[in-house]
Amino acid sequence: MTTSVRPPTKLSGQTREEDVMAIETPRHQPTLDEVAARAGVSRSAASRVINNAPHVSRAKREAVQRAVLDLGYVPNPTARALATNQVGAVVLAVSGDNPAMFAEPFFGQVIVGVNAVLEQTDLELMLVLATSSRGQAKLEQVLRNRQADGVMLMSLHGDDPLAGLADRSHLPVVFGGRPLTFEPKYYVDADNRGGARLATEHLIDTGRTRIATITGSLDEGAGAARYRGYQEALAIAGLGPERMEPGDFTEESGERAMTRLLERCPDLDSVFIASDTMAVGALRVLRDHGRTVPGDVAVVGFNDLAGARHTDPPLTTVHQPVEALGQEMGRMLLALMAGNDPSPLILPTRLVKRQSA
Amino acid sequence: MTTSVRPPTKLSGQTREEDVMAIETPRHQPTLDEVAARAGVSRSAASRVINNAPHVSRAKREAVQRAVLDLGYVPNPTARALATNQVGAVVLAVSGDNPAMFAEPFFGQVIVGVNAVLEQTDLELMLVLATSSRGQAKLEQVLRNRQADGVMLMSLHGDDPLAGLADRSHLPVVFGGRPLTFEPKYYVDADNRGGARLATEHLIDTGRTRIATITGSLDEGAGAARYRGYQEALAIAGLGPERMEPGDFTEESGERAMTRLLERCPDLDSVFIASDTMAVGALRVLRDHGRTVPGDVAVVGFNDLAGARHTDPPLTTVHQPVEALGQEMGRMLLALMAGNDPSPLILPTRLVKRQSA
DNA sequence: TTGAAAGCGCTAACAT
DNA sequence: ATGTTAGCGCTTTCAA
């Protein structure tokens, strides 16, 4: 009945504090001193046991362990952080101009991967959506204040300020994907260029000769790499001229680009599209223009989204191991934090053949 | 060239420490004592200014402010946390048996919403995927150790242990969605029951009389609520008997359920399906069985996923404001942490009419 | 209004 | 092997 300033957060107010005088009264987190007292040893001894450092007699070690168990002691991470200057957390920062972009399933998959490896450790995961200037400022705070022991950076655009931020922090940094303007020392990337080549070569192998492309944002690493893969495949096969129309990974841009492509190069017999999302838009435009797929025009997408199986016709596309990407980012960061010097990683992509090409 | 134990994390090793003797030498984070010294005041005075507490003369206040600016002082959050027992972070925990589930766009959207409101504050966002027992243990750690000042809990199943965990932590907790077994004091939910009624009533209004349903997991709040909405609409219209077949929100379960439904109730003229994902599977089964949509069978889904627009035919479905859900969860948690007593919230859903019904 | 001093809970250097 | 002693950087009594 008392109205306290602190929010009343019990879900079910069934037990009052006084009711329980039993052994289990976990209101108070025991401290290291209490453990030491209970075990009849000095605090440093207790500390040594807890961080299993050497120089502790077997007897004392066991006494401390018992006390820890009895008291249910858990070291206070904040105090430890203050003393060691290590906080026990890493941050995953996602760049981008549009916050909503983060809602794409891609990031969720990456997080699942990252989480899978972090789960094996005692590190916590902080998430920063550095999509607004406010978001960037927050990341800056986190890095400056060392609220994290390591950083993962994703989907940087052009000359993204985040790279500089992370660099200045002198924290271990791993990049997810390579920015355009420089090659980070530590990164995990999907083989976008190779995947695009695979896709284009598949078009070539199935007899197409007038192969167009709709690119993603060319100021992003992935967009540029996929475009280069297309160009390479064409060059190797001696199949110019290239027919390209830029998009920005959105469905609408896929529609617009396909429309323009149809105007500019009515003779095209196939198109490699740098994302499934754009491909969905492009398929609709093709249908509206009376072109059959894959009869008149073969289409290959990129990403292998869940929906790619259900387009009409089902989309042939390039699969990239997104969850593995997250896992490897996590592993690489752990390696870095352990003082190792891991190699950058490029994960293979593969073609998933369905009906559209 | 020196190989240190600490990972070398500079991206571009262009400047050596000695090179810069200029004003900008931000290697060392200034401490409060340094600010105080620079301003010629005591540490407590400086502290008061920084936390804009009263009892500081105008002169000193300004001196401190100048020193802060000069030195680029930022309080150390860890030290502050140790002293105040408030860490400046909140945790978003997602329950569920399958980690991969988190990859669904739903959670990304929620996070975008949560982030939008957290961005206005100095709070950091921690993410815990409590999908494995290890994940649950981590959440337990975080709560026990007070590594967060507040908790948001999502998609709890049946009698999820997370609820108890959060309760015992005595931290402010808000639920995203309502668990089945109890009604939390603070929650934000979408109007699942209302949405299901809307959907079913639409079927009724367009002349359907033999209306079936494919439910989601009935041990989840959303699944159960949508089923109840269907039942209510039928009851109000006097349109029994109900034709229901349980699913679990996955596409495969949608296929299976639709197949069984067609066997059990070959006369059905419409079906309300508790998720778009299941609806995709069901549409395929209907097509395979030669039933036209919406001619023979009208179909309404739930969620309004991005893909719902592109099914064949485009799916009529119930839209829920997912990003707003995240925002309101964030707001509610802030209110709780500020010592207020916010009301639980149910966000409206609405029917999006496309071609399938 | 002001400053001194005592913590917060832990780690680590040092002496024994 | 063990304990003592300083911190880590901040907040917060308390006395002046």
Side-chain angles (χ1 to χ4, degrees):
Chain A
M1 298 304 154
T2 56
T3 334
S4 59
V5 185
R6 281 292 167 197
T9 41
K10 297 206 68 173
L11 299 178
S12 48
Q14 335 209 36
T15 53
R16 283 188 320 179
E17 334 248 328
E18 292 76 16
D19 295 350
V20 189
M21 311 230 53
I23 314 159
E24 291 285 72
T25 310
R27 289 259 35 172
H28 167 73
Q29 280 292 353
T31 73
L32 184 52
D33 297 77
E34 287 165 12
V35 171
R38 170 99 169 208
V41 305
S42 72
R43 183 171 63 234
S44 11
S47 175
R48 284 183 187 115
V49 172
I50 277 145
N51 301 305
N52 43 51
H55 306 305
V56 200
S57 72
R58 197 185 150 77
K60 284 201 198 296
R61 169 156 267 133
E62 280 168 357
V64 171
Q65 281 162 346
R66 198 162 330 110
V68 165
L69 249 46
D70 288 354
L71 265 33
Y73 171 77
V74 182
N76 176 326
T78 307
R80 185 176 268 183
L82 184 60
T84 60
N85 200 27
Q86 301 248 89
V87 297
V90 299
V91 57
L92 174 64
V94 180
S95 185
D97 19 69
N98 179 8
M101 178 200 72
F102 177 77
E104 294 195 11
F106 178 82
F107 294 100
Q109 280 175 265
V110 171
I111 289 178
V112 170
V114 168
N115 182 72
V117 358
L118 254 39
E119 203 168 71
Q120 321 277 57
T121 72
D122 279 321
L123 294 168
E124 303 304 331
L125 177 62
M126 289 177 44
L127 194 60
V128 175
L129 268 44
T131 43
S132 61
S133 62
R134 181 75 183 103
Q136 287 202 13
K138 283 197 88 166
L139 181 62
E140 191 162 4
Q141 287 293 313
V142 169
L143 298 185
R144 258 197 100 173
N145 294 325
R146 277 206 135 57
Q147 288 178 266
D149 301 322
V151 192
M152 290 171 285
L153 249 36
M154 292 214 53
S155 63
L156 303 206
H157 290 237
D159 52 342
D160 205 300
L162 258 52
L165 265 186
D167 191 15
R168 257 167 282 139
S169 75
H170 298 273
L171 287 173
V173 187
V174 354
F175 284 76
R178 280 163 290 180
L180 265 175
T181 43
F182 70 100
E183 168 129 340
K185 180 136 192 240
Y186 302 104
Y187 66 85
V188 183
D189 201 357
D191 188 4
N192 287 301
R193 203 167 93 201
R197 273 185 59 169
L198 240 42
T200 312
E201 283 165 2
H202 173 66
L203 258 12
I204 296 170
D205 291 348
T206 51
R208 311 286 171 163
T209 55
R210 296 179 301 281
I211 306 174
T213 189
I214 297 175
T215 72
S217 316
L218 293 175
D219 67 334
E220 289 180 50
R226 291 173 195 176
Y227 178 40
R228 283 195 51 192
Y230 160 84
Q231 291 178 303
E232 284 177 9
L234 242 51
I236 291 171
L239 263 188
E242 72 178 60
R243 299 159 168 84
M244 96 79 126
E245 190 63 46
D248 62 8
F249 287 128
T250 65
E251 192 174 323
E252 298 69 41
S253 81
E255 291 188 343
R256 279 195 305 272
M258 193 67 241
T259 307
R260 285 194 301 255
L261 227 32
L262 249 19
E263 283 166 9
R264 282 180 36 208
C265 327
D267 64 329
L268 59 83
D269 62 11
S270 56
V271 46
F272 162 60
I273 305 178
S275 85
D276 290 355
T277 310
M278 291 194 294
V280 166
L283 283 176
R284 186 166 35 240
V285 170
L286 285 169
R287 193 178 316 122
D288 292 351
H289 284 246
R291 310 272 187 133
T292 64
V293 176
D296 297 332
V297 179
V299 173
V300 183
F302 207 112
N303 278 350
D304 194 23
L305 291 191
R309 196 191 329 265
H310 305 304
T311 55
D312 177 29
L315 193 63
T316 292
T317 185
V318 179
H319 177 90
Q320 54 174 333
V322 184
E323 198 172 320
L325 191 94
Q327 289 193 24
E328 295 301 345
M329 285 175 65
R331 285 210 191 95
M332 189 172 286
L333 187 56
L334 292 185
L336 235 32
M337 287 168 55
N340 300 322
D341 185 26
S343 309
L345 240 40
I346 297 184
L347 304 182
T349 48
R350 65 186 161 76
L351 189 69
V352 179
K353 293 180 195 165
R354 288 196 266 258
Q355 271 81 70
S356 71
Chain B
M1 298 300 158
T2 55
T3 335
S4 59
V5 185
R6 278 292 164 199
T9 41
K10 297 206 66 173
L11 299 177
S12 50
Q14 335 212 35
T15 54
R16 285 189 319 182
E17 336 248 328
E18 294 76 17
D19 294 351
V20 189
M21 312 229 51
I23 314 159
E24 291 285 73
T25 310
R27 288 258 36 173
H28 166 75
Q29 279 292 353
T31 72
L32 185 52
D33 299 75
E34 286 164 13
V35 170
R38 170 96 167 210
V41 304
S42 73
R43 181 168 67 232
S44 8
S47 174
R48 286 184 186 114
V49 172
I50 278 147
N51 301 306
N52 43 52
H55 305 304
V56 198
S57 72
R58 195 185 151 78
K60 284 202 197 295
R61 168 155 268 131
E62 280 167 358
V64 171
Q65 280 162 346
R66 199 165 325 111
V68 165
L69 249 46
D70 289 352
L71 265 33
Y73 170 78
V74 181
N76 177 326
T78 307
R80 185 175 268 185
L82 184 59
T84 59
N85 198 28
Q86 300 248 88
V87 296
V90 298
V91 57
L92 174 65
V94 180
S95 185
D97 19 69
N98 179 9
M101 178 200 71
F102 178 76
E104 293 194 12
F106 178 82
F107 295 100
Q109 278 174 266
V110 171
I111 290 178
V112 170
V114 168
N115 182 71
V117 358
L118 254 39
E119 204 169 70
Q120 319 278 56
T121 72
D122 279 319
L123 293 168
E124 303 304 332
L125 177 62
M126 291 177 45
L127 194 60
V128 174
L129 268 44
T131 44
S132 61
S133 62
R134 181 76 183 100
Q136 286 201 15
K138 285 197 87 166
L139 181 62
E140 191 161 4
Q141 287 293 313
V142 168
L143 297 186
R144 261 199 95 169
N145 295 325
R146 277 206 136 57
Q147 289 180 265
D149 301 323
V151 193
M152 289 170 284
L153 250 37
M154 291 213 54
S155 64
L156 303 207
H157 290 236
D159 53 342
D160 205 300
L162 258 54
L165 266 185
D167 192 15
R168 257 167 282 139
S169 76
H170 297 275
L171 287 172
V173 187
V174 354
F175 285 75
R178 279 163 290 179
L180 265 176
T181 44
F182 70 100
E183 169 128 341
K185 180 134 190 241
Y186 303 103
Y187 66 85
V188 184
D189 201 356
D191 187 5
N192 287 301
R193 203 167 91 202
R197 272 186 59 171
L198 240 41
T200 312
E201 283 165 1
H202 172 66
L203 258 12
I204 295 170
D205 291 349
T206 52
R208 310 286 170 164
T209 54
R210 295 178 302 279
I211 306 173
T213 189
I214 296 176
T215 73
S217 316
L218 292 176
D219 67 333
E220 290 180 49
R226 291 173 196 176
Y227 178 40
R228 284 195 51 193
Y230 160 84
Q231 292 178 304
E232 285 176 7
L234 242 52
I236 291 171
L239 264 188
E242 73 177 62
R243 300 159 168 85
M244 96 79 125
E245 191 62 47
D248 62 9
F249 287 127
T250 67
E251 193 173 324
E252 299 69 42
S253 81
E255 292 189 343
R256 278 196 307 273
M258 193 68 242
T259 306
R260 283 194 303 254
L261 226 34
L262 248 20
E263 283 166 8
R264 283 179 37 209
C265 326
D267 65 329
L268 61 81
D269 62 12
S270 56
V271 46
F272 162 59
I273 305 178
S275 86
D276 290 356
T277 311
M278 292 194 295
V280 166
L283 283 176
R284 186 166 36 242
V285 170
L286 285 170
R287 194 179 315 121
D288 292 351
H289 284 247
R291 310 272 187 131
T292 63
V293 176
D296 297 334
V297 180
V299 173
V300 183
F302 207 113
N303 279 350
D304 194 23
L305 291 190
R309 198 188 329 263
H310 305 303
T311 55
D312 176 30
L315 193 63
T316 292
T317 186
V318 179
H319 177 89
Q320 54 173 333
V322 184
E323 197 172 321
L325 192 93
Q327 289 193 24
E328 295 302 344
M329 285 175 66
R331 283 210 192 96
M332 191 173 286
L333 187 56
L334 292 184
L336 236 30
M337 287 167 57
N340 300 322
D341 184 26
S343 310
L345 240 41
I346 297 184
L347 305 182
T349 48
R350 64 185 162 78
L351 189 68
V352 179
K353 293 180 195 165
R354 287 196 267 258
Q355 272 81 69
S356 71

